[in-house]
Amino acid sequence: MLLLIDAGNTSIKWALVEDGAAPGTWVASGALAHDDLAPGIWAGHAVVRALISNVAGSALGLRLALALPDGVPHDWFASQAQLAGLHNGYRNPLQLGCDRFAAAIGAHALAPDSALIVATCGTATTIDAITPDGLFLGGLILPGLGLMASSLARNTSQLPQVGAGAPIKPGFADNTDDAIINGCLTAQAGAIERACTALEAQYGTVGCILSGGAAGFIAPTLSRQHKMVANIVLIGLQVAANDKDGSC
């Protein structure tokens, strides 16, 4: 089986897939904190190959390699000019974050022939645009929901720490805690909706895909239709690995 790994700044997501499985169809999957990564963690699974997206640095990359079952070959997923039906329109295609490239590949595979905004809501929120014919136009990067809230708590006098799981109350908040979380949620939703509006001006109907750990908090604040897709980066890795004309 193929082991897919999405190593982000906060956690490591993984999935085991069989050859020819539909995108997002896993034999097993899970998530773990960086501190929980240890040699042999995937022992006992019939892993024959691993494909890894790592945006958390070289030290974690070394630990990931050591955690793989002995003798299992692995590839480090990287952005390139074209892969799995997606054309990379970044000024320097190699500089696009590998997780964003994988997420875009996954989204395009799930909704081919559609203009898409793909919002991945994690430590950072990335909002990327894809044309119906599979051109990655580029995107936006802003602090994630939790980072927005914690930066206010740390850097503004007398403002309390407010977590991303705080209850959402509609309208204008009548207390500071709710004002912070409502403001952060509005900023996240506003950026996503503005990106959708900009892409609609060029392509008409636009699909909106949300993924990432904070997506469940942001989704209820959106005023437009959207689709929640868990582990969009892993889906993109799976699609890329199955691309017979690619290098993965």
Side-chain angles (χ1 to χ4, degrees), residues 30-91:
L32 61 150
H34 291 185
D35 290 343
D36 294 331
L37 181 65
I41 195 166
W42 290 290
H45 296 288
V47 179
V48 298
R49 180 187 168 205
L51 180 59
I52 307 169
S53 167
N54 175 30
V55 298
S58 58
L60 184 66
L62 178 60
R63 293 178 58 207
L64 285 166
L66 293 173
L68 296 175
D70 291 341
V72 171
H74 61 278
D75 295 305
W76 300 101
F77 183 77
S79 296
Q80 52 189 280
Q82 181 175 337
L83 183 63
L86 190 78
H87 300 266
N88 188 343
Y90 233 46
R91 183 180 302 175

Side-chain angles (χ1 to χ4, degrees), residues 11 16 32 40 72 87-88 153 171 174 180 189 197 202 207 245:
S11 64
L16 286 165
L32 61 150
V72 171
H87 300 266
N88 188 343
D174 60 2
I180 292 174
T197 299
Q202 300 179 61
D245 297 323

Side-chain angles (χ1 to χ4, degrees), residues 205-221:
T205 302
V206 168
C208 180
I209 291 178
L210 266 65
S211 192
F217 300 112
I218 297 168
T221 69

